[in-house]
């Protein structure tokens, strides 16, 4: 949903591929549309209508239409008449799916968390907070939150959980391995799931998951289908090693 993962320290570094892959400003504008509409106070139909109108204006942009007509060799008006409705329909469907992801994940909270369990998490994730808050309506459990240095986003996560009435304990990152012996489950969010099953997540995720593996603690990663990526970790054209 996403949610939930803006301007965070991650376990990867992007390489500079600006020469190989030109910038796509229109794609970035479309990507940011969902944030503005999902945070509004209007109804879903109103948001959908606003999104459709904005996309229509975006596709009418002279820069975009000139590139499309020059690359295809056809008349730009004829091209837009065919593809504009399809593009708008697909993007609106994606926007609606992204908004519904968090609800779908939270609906399963009762099946994954049991009474008297100790849950460990780290960083800050709106999806994780919503998931644990949904489980707290049915179960009584405790959450251990690693601070996630150097940004200490874990403190923010603990505050959000405490506001939901969930019992939280904040620990330094250095205590994760020792505290893992008391943990029943690790629940984290992620920026993306790569093609080989790897994660792009907060810095420190690897250490926590290694500790969980050593102590045979099950791990749950909360994410939507829109975060599945076809890229591979450490691909020379994508990430630095």
């Amino acid at each position: 949903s996403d949610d939930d993962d803006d301007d965070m320290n991650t376990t990867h570094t992007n390489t500079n591929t600006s020469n190989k892959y030109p910038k796509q400003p229109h794609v970035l504008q479309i990507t940011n549309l969902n944030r503005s509409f999902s945070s509004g106070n209007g109804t879903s139909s109103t948001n959908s209508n606003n999104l459709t109108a904005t996309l229509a204006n975006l596709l009418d942009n002279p820069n975009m239409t000139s590139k499309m007509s020059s690359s295809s060799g056809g008349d730009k008006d004829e091209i837009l008449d065919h593809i504009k409705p399809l593009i708008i329909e697909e993007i609106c469907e994606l926007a609606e799916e992204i908004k519904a992801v968090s609800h779908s994940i939270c609906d399963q909270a009762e099946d994954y968390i049991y009474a008297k369990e100790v849950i460990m998490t780290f960083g800050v994730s709106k999806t994780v907070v919503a998931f644990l808050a949904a489980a707290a309506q049915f179960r009584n459990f405790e959450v251990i939150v690693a601070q996630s240095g150097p940004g200490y986003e874990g403190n923010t996560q603990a505050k959000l959980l405490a506001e939901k009435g969930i019992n939280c304990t904040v620990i330094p990152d250095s205590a994760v391995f020792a505290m893992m012996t008391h943990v029943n489950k690790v629940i984290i969010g992620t920026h993306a799931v790569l093609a080989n099953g790897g994660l792009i997540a907060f810095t420190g995720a690897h250490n926590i998951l290694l500790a969980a593996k050593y102590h045979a603690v099950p791990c749950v990663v909360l994410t939507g289908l829109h975060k599945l990526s076809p890229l591979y970790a450490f691909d020379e054209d994508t990430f630095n090693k």
Side-chain angles (χ1 to χ4, degrees):
S1 65
D2 65 178
D3 45 50
D4 63 77
D5 305 309
D6 300 331
D7 302 327
M8 299 177 180
N9 297 322
T10 59
T11 55
H12 79 285
T13 304
N14 288 333
T15 57
N16 183 2
T17 56
S18 57
N19 296 330
K20 192 171 182 180
Y21 304 101
K23 295 181 179 179
Q24 301 292 333
H26 302 295
V27 176
L28 295 177
Q29 292 177 33
I30 293 173
T31 304
N32 290 329
L33 289 175
N34 180 62
R35 294 183 182 177
S36 59
F37 291 122
S38 62
S39 61
N41 295 323
T43 63
S44 177
S45 60
T46 303
N47 290 342
S48 179
N49 292 335
N50 292 339
L51 179 58
T52 301
T54 306
L55 289 172
N57 293 333
L58 184 61
L59 291 173
D60 287 333
N61 187 297
N63 294 331
M64 177 173 285
T65 54
S66 61
K67 291 179 182 179
M68 292 166 54
S69 59
S70 61
S71 61
S72 61
D75 180 71
K76 66 180 181 180
D77 293 329
E78 181 180 354
I79 295 173
L80 279 177
D81 288 341
H82 284 85
I83 70 170
K84 184 191 294 185
L86 299 176
I87 294 176
I88 292 176
E89 180 181 359
E90 291 298 323
I91 294 178
C92 287
E93 288 182 2
L94 178 61
E96 291 298 323
E97 179 183 342
I98 292 175
K99 287 190 290 185
V101 162
S102 180
H103 297 290
S104 300
I105 293 175
C106 292
D107 288 342
Q108 305 176 57
E110 187 179 2
D111 299 328
Y112 283 89
I113 297 179
Y114 305 103
K116 305 300 181 180
E117 278 195 326
V118 177
I119 308 296
M120 178 176 287
T121 185
F122 80 115
V124 59
S125 168
K126 293 179 182 178
T127 303
V128 173
V129 171
F131 183 82
L132 295 176
Q137 298 178 8
F138 308 97
R139 306 280 191 262
N140 181 23
F141 57 90
E142 181 181 352
V143 178
I144 297 176
V145 184
Q147 285 186 313
S148 306
Y152 299 104
E153 293 88 354
N155 294 338
T156 303
Q157 177 95 317
K159 181 180 179 181
L160 294 174
L161 292 172
E163 291 174 353
K164 301 292 184 179
I166 300 174
N167 186 18
C168 296
T169 302
V170 179
I171 63 171
D173 297 339
S174 58
V176 165
F177 189 85
M179 293 299 296
M180 192 64 71
T181 58
H182 305 285
V183 172
N184 301 108
K185 197 169 296 169
V186 173
I187 298 179
I188 65 173
T190 184
H191 304 300
V193 180
L194 302 178
N196 64 343
L199 303 178
I200 300 179
F202 272 110
T203 301
H206 186 59
N207 294 336
I208 289 180
L209 296 180
L210 281 179
K213 180 180 179 180
Y214 182 87
H215 292 287
V217 175
C219 300
V220 178
V221 179
L222 306 180
T223 187
L225 293 178
H226 64 282
K227 289 189 177 183
L228 299 181
S229 171
L231 302 177
Y232 285 87
F234 308 127
D235 179 66
E236 62 180 4
D237 293 327
T238 309
F239 305 117
N240 282 334
K241 291 187 177 181

